[in-house]
Amino acid sequence: MRFTTRLTQALDARRAADGWRQRLRVARNDTRTLEVDGKSYRHFSSNDYLGLSQHPAVLAGWRHGAPGAGASGHVTGYSHLHAGLETQLAHWLGYECALLFISGFAANQAVVHLLAQKQDSLIADKLAHASLLDAASHTPAALRRFHHNDVASLAQRLAPPCDGATLVMTEGIFSMDGDSAPLAAIAETTRRAGGWLLVDDAHGIGVTGEQGRGSCWQQGVKPELLVVTFGKAFGVSGAALLCDETTADYFLQFSRHLIYSTAMPPAQASALLAALHEVQRGDALRQRLHDNIQRFRAAAAALPWSLMASESAIQPLVVGENSAALRLSQRLAQAGCWVSAIRPPTVPPGTARLRITLTAAHQESDIDALLKALHDAAGE
Ligand SMILES: *Cc1c(COP(=O)(O)O)cnc(C)c1O
């Protein structure tokens, strides 16, 4: 089949399934409000959970470094700002080393690609992020998935003997469901099977645990590999892998993602140092986020759509069909609330949902306006 035929067929199928994805042109986005096509909305689709993307100290941080690193970290791209950030992250999270990556997607690809070899076994939660599952399916290792947050199912996948090494992968807080992994039980089960655990805490870091140290800290677990990302609660972009010194040395020697790619801009490392400081002293922001979550959940329980068992900033309402999710999203937009509909293949078929995200930047009046719009839509 020629490329043109293949591409056209795939696009036609996606349109027919109400699955067409469209990018917005956002004119303004300050986490609390979003401006699109000359109209302003209350914004419930941002992962900037603490509102740090707008924080004066973070903005000032950007101005204290060069906009480009000019080279890979292995040439001349690794500055004192990068080194300082890695040291502070490692110290804060209780690891020997931290290595910076340009994004969470890149970090997960790098980790899985570099570690997984032919005899190995990769075992992932069914709902683990695309960057983990994708990377895993492109390695020569066997990939098996366990039922979501189900430790018995994990134990079952770990039971068959494996000639190589075993890596178990999960998220701290799941990006599309908002629920938390039972990390202590997962870590213990993995340890007993002699495997390593990788936790991707993109949605937990900054938000949960003492000083915002994330899901692992909160649950008293220290996985061999911890990936944290900076595009969410840190309000910036980028990621880090936390690990021991041997693992870090191995990555520095052999990870092509690190060796053959330009290092993170020094300005970004500088902004991240400022963001880290704000996260560490961010109890008031975390409290405000927590209050917003409680306010939302208390009133949303009465809605006809199923509210998932989530205590996090991610509060999905499962609608079911793609077209119904899109209609509800449009209805909310008419009422001045921006909530994105999430459809398969990002979530399982038949579970299209509104992925509502709450932040510390929201006021009580924002939460109340969203609840009113949802109750009005439910009554129609
Ligand atoms: C957002 C996300 C990523 C990707 O991180 P980026 O820095 O945006 O590339 C990885 N894992 C999870 C669980 C995420 O939610």
Side-chain angles (χ1 to χ4, degrees):
M1 194 190 293
R2 288 172 189 274
F3 278 124
T4 310
T5 316
R6 191 193 304 166
L7 271 47
T8 310
Q9 282 179 359
L11 292 174
D12 288 346
R14 177 145 289 191
R15 259 188 217 99
D18 285 321
W20 194 258
R21 289 155 185 248
Q22 225 155 357
R23 295 180 301 176
L24 301 172
R25 285 198 201 178
V26 171
R28 222 175 68 85
N29 174 4
D30 69 5
T31 301
R32 185 185 171 206
T33 54
L34 187 72
E35 203 181 296
V36 184
D37 288 337
K39 214 182 145 197
S40 182
Y41 300 88
R42 298 177 202 264
H43 184 7
F44 296 101
S45 291
S46 175
N47 297 326
D48 180 17
Y49 302 126
L50 301 180
L52 289 185
S53 73
Q54 306 298 314
H55 197 286
V58 179
L59 297 171
W62 269 104
R63 295 191 290 273
H64 289 128
S72 145
H74 284 61
V75 183
T76 56
Y78 185 68
S79 69
H80 69 100
L81 293 165
H82 297 86
L85 178 58
E86 287 182 346
T87 305
Q88 286 197 28
L89 286 168
H91 179 74
W92 180 52
L93 295 171
Y95 281 82
E96 286 175 8
C97 295
L99 295 174
L100 297 177
F101 288 85
I102 209 68
S103 71
F105 199 98
N108 284 340
Q109 298 275 312
V111 172
V112 174
H113 273 288
L114 189 61
L115 293 181
Q117 298 185 359
K118 194 155 176 224
Q119 307 289 324
D120 297 347
S121 172
L122 298 172
I123 303 181
D125 186 289
K126 269 212 162 101
L127 299 186
H129 195 258
S131 52
L132 290 169
L133 294 176
D134 235 59
S137 65
H138 290 114
T139 69
L143 168 64
R144 273 177 250 134
R145 305 200 290 169
F146 61 95
H147 295 305
H148 177 53
N149 281 347
D150 183 337
V151 182
S153 168
L154 167 63
Q156 224 170 41
R157 304 290 183 276
L158 282 166
C162 167
D163 289 338
T166 297
L167 179 65
V168 172
M169 308 187 283
T170 191
E171 294 183 30
I173 292 176
F174 282 81
S175 48
M176 293 302 143
D177 290 37
D179 54 348
S180 297
L183 292 174
I186 288 176
E188 176 56 21
T189 306
T190 304
R191 192 192 57 77
R192 260 191 275 126
W196 270 16
L197 176 62
L198 185 170
V199 175
D200 172 350
D201 202 24
H203 297 279
I205 195 71
V207 177
T208 63
E210 188 196 352
Q211 273 190 20
R213 288 184 177 100
S215 308
C216 295
W217 191 278
Q218 187 196 26
Q219 297 191 41
V221 169
K222 188 177 166 189
E224 286 77 10
L225 305 166
L226 169 63
V227 171
V228 298
T229 73
F230 305 130
K232 282 133 190 170
F234 273 65
V236 187
S237 189
L241 167 68
L242 286 298
C243 58
D244 69 8
E245 194 174 349
T246 305
T247 310
D249 281 345
Y250 186 74
F251 271 82
L252 287 170
Q253 295 311 310
F254 300 112
S255 174
R256 301 168 76 83
H257 283 79
L258 289 176
I259 299 168
Y260 297 107
S261 185
T262 302
M264 169 187 288
Q268 185 178 332
S270 169
L272 284 170
L273 279 163
L276 174 57
H277 187 63
E278 296 309 322
V279 163
Q280 288 169 335
R281 43 183 247 144
D283 283 347
L285 293 174
R286 282 184 284 275
Q287 186 60 48
R288 197 171 322 148
L289 171 60
H290 178 78
D291 292 346
N292 284 339
I293 295 167
Q294 298 313 313
R295 190 176 186 87
F296 176 78
R297 283 190 70 81
L303 291 167
W305 304 287
S306 73
L307 185 65
M308 300 191 84
S310 159
E311 297 300 320
S312 72
I314 303 160
Q315 292 292 328
L317 279 183
V318 177
V319 175
E321 290 312 309
N322 288 0
S323 53
L326 286 175
R327 260 200 318 278
L328 183 54
S329 168
Q330 282 157 7
R331 175 70 190 71
L332 294 176
Q334 283 162 9
C337 294
W338 195 276
V339 186
S340 299
I342 306 282
R343 292 163 287 166
T346 307
V347 293
T351 71
R353 66 197 66 182
L354 293 188
R355 181 176 180 272
I356 296 165
T357 52
L358 304 175
T359 74
H362 289 120
Q363 310 269 324
E364 287 183 353
S365 57
D366 298 319
I367 311 293
D368 293 346
L370 173 64
L371 286 163
K372 177 170 188 316
L374 283 164
H375 280 291
D376 288 350
E380 281 166 10

